[in-house]
Amino acid sequence: MEFMILTEEEFRNFSDTHPLKNFIQTPEMAHIRKQLGYECWYIGVKEKEEIKAATMIGAKTTRFGKKEFYAPRGLLINYEDSKLLQFFTDSIKKFVKENGGYVFRIDPYYLTKERDIDGKEVSNGFNHSLGIENLKKLGYRKCKNVYQIFTYMFSKDLNTSKEEIYKSFHSLPKRMIKKAEESKIIIREATFEELEKVQKLIDETGERKNFHSRNLDYYQLLYQNFYPRNEVKFMLGEIDVNLYKSIKKDKIQVLEKELENMKTDKKKEECNNKIEKEKKDLEEVSKLDVDSNGKFLLSAGVFLLYGEELVYLFGGNKKQFMHYGSSYKMQWEMMQYGLEHGFKKYNFYGIPGMPSKEDGVYNFKRGFDGYIEELIGDYEYPVSFYYYIHKLIHIIKR
């Protein structure tokens, strides 16, 4: 076996076909990280000219000029092949040390045990404990905290028909999708010039739900690097206020005519209540601050399309207008896009941890049915004695 610096083309050809492929381990993400100030390399192991393992790895300089090396969602390797894992680890250790590093971290796109929608282990499901043990035997240390990316995801297979997928949804998503369709909510793709709209709406939601959102520069970099390959979509959910008002006025007219022919007080009361609700909806929408086209923005989403997986990366919505169902319709339309274009999995992406009925993010995603995926988490490998000094400094600070 031979350790090598790979060309971008070599790395792409390998990563695109590896079982653990993911959009973070791509040349596009390496380009973004470089523009964010990281040094990046493609490294791998070859045997008889065939690449057996690889990763995109980056470095940033910390205090005293020491560097932290990180392979985001890497390594791309068979973790159960202990000989290959040891050779690659030893080679990376030498590479990191030669380039001024004191530690390298990984958070592989590698699952622990198969779990169901509630996070419970599936009997006779897959179990990757051997790969985890191999890492620990080589000296990788499990981090107590998540370094950059979450550990838990919520996903849904796209391996059946559109009708069966919709049927699997819980009652709330179905109800909200129906409401969005009745309200003629428009789901469309944002242009590059509209990325600021996406960013602002996700920022609002991040502040409300206490999650970290990205700045406009990051979204622009995603667009510039992934859009030419049709691997990213920035989506907007809007309501056409004039059309919605017209629908409501028509409904009110129909109900008022029905009211004239009603004979019992009970039916009249029920009809009057419906009329009042429609008028209340009409009054609410009439107060919206629409754009020059008469549209009002309700929701936004960022989706990565890579390999066989369609990923819901970021999302945001206006809290006071969630009852229009725009976010639900956006998920459904993107699932249908995934089906039509051959994607095998719809990944709702991160949830804060193991499921809790109190967690709104998990409950939203759970409503579409699916299962929890638990990645093995963050591991770090000490390369020099400075690693222990660095840890001591942090302990003293705390």
Side-chain angles (χ1 to χ4, degrees):
M1 289 188 284
E2 183 180 8
F3 175 78
M4 299 185 70
I5 304 292
L6 304 175
T7 66
E8 182 173 304
E9 182 180 5
E10 284 179 312
F11 178 74
R12 186 188 297 282
N13 291 339
F14 178 79
S15 62
D16 280 352
T17 58
H18 196 273
L20 303 183
K21 61 180 175 289
N22 61 88
F23 74 90
I24 297 178
Q25 275 288 315
T26 59
E28 285 66 46
M29 193 55 71
H31 299 162
I32 290 173
R33 294 181 75 81
K34 285 178 182 178
Q35 289 171 286
L36 293 175
Y38 289 80
E39 297 177 82
C40 288
W41 301 263
Y42 308 112
I43 55 177
V45 175
K46 282 187 178 181
E47 187 173 38
K48 296 179 181 178
E49 297 304 312
E50 181 184 358
I51 300 175
K52 295 294 186 180
T55 193
M56 179 266 285
I57 190 169
K60 67 175 181 179
T61 304
T62 61
R63 59 167 61 89
F64 308 123
K66 299 294 183 179
K67 294 179 182 178
E68 294 180 353
F69 279 72
Y70 172 44
R73 287 297 188 240
L75 312 168
L76 302 179
I77 192 171
N78 177 2
Y79 288 89
E80 296 187 3
D81 186 336
S82 57
K83 183 179 178 182
L84 177 61
L85 184 61
Q86 179 166 3
F87 181 84
F88 200 17
T89 297
D90 291 343
S91 301
I92 293 174
K93 180 179 179 180
K94 182 180 178 182
F95 174 82
V96 169
K97 200 167 187 177
E98 288 175 348
N99 286 278
Y102 70 93
V103 65
F104 77 90
R105 297 187 174 93
I106 59 173
D107 49 6
Y109 207 57
Y110 185 54
L111 303 175
T112 54
K113 299 176 182 179
E114 190 169 353
R115 298 188 181 276
D116 63 16
I117 191 170
D118 298 312
K120 297 176 182 176
E121 290 183 25
V122 175
S123 59
N124 300 318
F126 62 76
N127 185 329
H128 292 153
S129 57
L130 175 59
I132 297 169
E133 285 304 310
N134 284 340
L135 283 171
K136 291 178 178 178
K137 285 178 182 177
L138 288 175
Y140 287 88
R141 301 180 172 206
K142 181 71 182 288
C143 301
K144 292 181 180 179
N145 301 312
V146 173
Y147 181 54
Q148 285 195 15
I149 319 176
F150 51 81
T151 301
Y152 295 90
M153 305 183 295
F154 192 87
S155 296
K156 182 177 183 67
D157 290 333
L158 300 178
N159 56 2
T160 185
S161 67
K162 170 183 169 180
E163 292 73 22
E164 287 299 315
I165 287 177
Y166 184 81
K167 187 178 177 181
S168 72
F169 296 166
H170 297 190
S171 59
L172 178 59
K174 287 179 181 177
R175 191 165 66 249
M176 298 306 287
I177 291 167
K178 183 180 179 182
K179 174 69 183 293
E181 289 174 346
E182 289 174 347
S183 303
K184 307 298 181 185
I185 299 301
I186 302 160
I187 306 298
R188 67 173 179 86
E189 198 165 351
T191 65
F192 181 81
E193 291 73 25
E194 291 179 305
L195 294 184
E196 189 172 0
K197 292 181 181 180
V198 176
Q199 180 251 330
K200 285 182 177 179
L201 196 46
I202 295 175
D203 274 0
E204 287 178 25
T205 307
E207 289 176 12
R208 187 172 76 243
K209 294 190 174 182
N210 195 31
F211 67 77
H212 173 69
S213 57
R214 298 286 191 164
N215 58 30
L216 180 60
D217 289 345
Y218 185 79
Y219 293 127
Q220 290 174 336
L221 287 173
L222 275 180
Y223 192 104
Q224 290 163 347
N225 285 277
F226 284 98
Y227 188 78
R229 297 176 59 84
N230 195 31
E231 290 179 346
V232 69
K233 287 187 179 295
F234 292 84
M235 306 301 293
L236 295 173
E238 299 174 325
I239 184 169
D240 185 324
V241 172
N242 291 329
L243 177 58
Y244 184 82
K245 286 163 72 173
S246 176
I247 292 169
K248 288 296 175 182
K249 287 175 182 177
D250 288 345
K251 280 188 176 181
I252 292 170
Q253 284 183 352
V254 170
L255 287 169
E256 286 176 339
K257 285 183 180 179
E258 290 177 358
L259 182 62
E260 292 174 3
N261 298 319
M262 289 179 179
K263 296 179 181 180
T264 66
D265 290 341
K266 184 178 180 181
K267 286 188 175 180
K268 285 180 180 180
E269 183 182 359
E270 288 174 353
C271 190
N272 272 318
N273 288 337
K274 289 179 181 179
I275 291 171
E276 288 305 309
K277 183 184 180 304
E278 297 298 336
K279 286 182 176 179
K280 186 178 179 181
D281 289 345
L282 184 58
E283 182 182 1
E284 178 188 67
V285 80
S286 297
K287 294 177 181 178
L288 297 180
D289 185 17
V290 300
D291 63 19
S292 59
N293 297 312
K295 307 288 197 316
F296 182 78
L297 183 61
L298 298 170
S299 64
V302 182
F303 298 83
L304 262 294
L305 303 81
Y306 178 71
E308 297 180 339
E309 185 174 64
L310 197 160
V311 179
Y312 174 44
L313 191 60
F314 303 112
N317 54 69
K318 289 191 179 294
K319 182 180 180 182
Q320 63 271 41
F321 302 109
M322 289 172 63
H323 56 279
Y324 287 107
S326 180
S327 293
Y328 289 89
K329 187 180 180 187
M330 183 178 292
Q331 298 300 320
W332 176 220
E333 291 209 359
M334 291 307 293
M335 282 185 208
Q336 292 177 80
Y337 180 92
L339 272 172
E340 292 164 6
H341 290 81
F343 290 91
K344 303 300 183 186
K345 185 169 82 170
Y346 190 87
N347 190 340
F348 287 93
Y349 223 38
I351 55 175
M354 284 299 280
S356 165
K357 291 181 179 179
E358 308 302 317
D359 178 14
V361 173
Y362 164 67
N363 286 329
F364 171 77
K365 298 175 181 182
R366 188 184 193 279
F368 292 94
D369 198 49
Y371 49 89
I372 287 174
E373 294 186 297
E374 181 188 5
L375 297 160
I376 68 169
D378 294 56
Y379 286 81
E380 57 188 15
Y381 193 95
V383 171
S384 76
F385 189 72
Y386 179 74
Y387 169 85
Y388 303 98
I389 297 174
H390 180 78
K391 289 290 183 185
L392 181 61
I393 290 171
H394 273 271
I395 291 171
I396 294 171
K397 279 187 174 182
R398 286 200 298 267

